[in-house]
Amino acid sequence: MIFVLAIIAMFVAVSIYFFFKAENLQREIILMKRDISATKKENKAYVDMMAIIAQRNEEIVKQRFIALRSASDDKTEMHDIIAPMINNYATIFNDSVRAKGKLQTSIKKVYEGHQKGTYKVLSNYINQSNKEIKRAWSSNNINGFIMLVEALLLAK
């Protein structure tokens, strides 16, 4: 009889222990869900902000490109080479932000979508350009893309 009572008491004690342990785990899960929800909201805000920045930069770069193109007639070949990059600035910007080392693949996708063989023309132009343009191209990240566009717009 004592043996049976001891087993029942032990079973009750273990049940109470696991009940409180489960309650603690449930509270932790609720807190983690709140954190995940807050993180998702924050991440969405950052993504939206980066999209707005990309669009604003694209507008500014397009305006500068159009002004540069209308101001000079002797750089038409260079303008034709960089036009797809300028016209798809936000797309390339967003792809470069999402993953490091995706600048060149993103630009290649844009150029090959524009016209077959234009990416090779761009890479040849970059290889024949000054050191600043080559350095920006080889960085293969968002900072390099911004520097590359600036350098191409300022190139003479």
Side-chain angles (χ1 to χ4, degrees), residues 96-115:
S96 299
V97 167
R98 285 192 184 104
K100 290 184 178 181
K102 292 288 186 178
L103 171 65
Q104 293 176 5
T105 56
S106 176
I107 290 176
K108 182 175 184 177
K109 185 172 34 171
V110 165
Y111 271 79
E112 291 303 318
H114 173 68
Q115 185 178 357

Side-chain angles (χ1 to χ4, degrees), residues 20-114:
F20 286 117
K21 189 71 170 172
E23 286 293 318
N24 283 338
L25 289 175
Q26 189 173 9
R27 272 190 243 120
E28 286 181 26
I29 289 172
I30 290 170
L31 290 175
M32 286 182 187
K33 283 183 180 178
R34 285 182 192 158
D35 288 345
I36 289 171
S37 176
T39 303
K40 284 182 180 178
K41 287 179 184 177
E42 187 177 329
N43 189 26
K44 185 181 180 330
Y46 285 139
V47 167
D48 292 344
M49 184 174 31
M50 289 305 294
I52 290 170
I53 290 170
Q55 288 172 344
R56 296 293 181 227
N57 282 348
E58 180 179 34
E59 291 170 8
I60 292 168
V61 168
K62 279 184 179 179
Q63 289 174 356
R64 287 179 57 199
F65 179 68
I66 290 169
L68 183 68
R69 190 176 223 175
S70 64
S72 65
D73 295 329
D74 58 339
K75 294 185 183 180
T76 56
E77 180 184 344
M78 191 266 304
H79 291 148
D80 292 340
I81 292 172
I82 66 170
M85 187 185 317
I86 302 299
N87 291 332
N88 295 294
Y89 185 93
T91 304
I92 298 168
F93 186 95
N94 288 329
D95 287 348
S96 299
V97 167
R98 285 192 184 104
K100 290 184 178 181
K102 292 288 186 178
L103 171 65
Q104 293 176 5
T105 56
S106 176
I107 290 176
K108 182 175 184 177
K109 185 172 34 171
V110 165
Y111 271 79
E112 291 303 318
H114 173 68

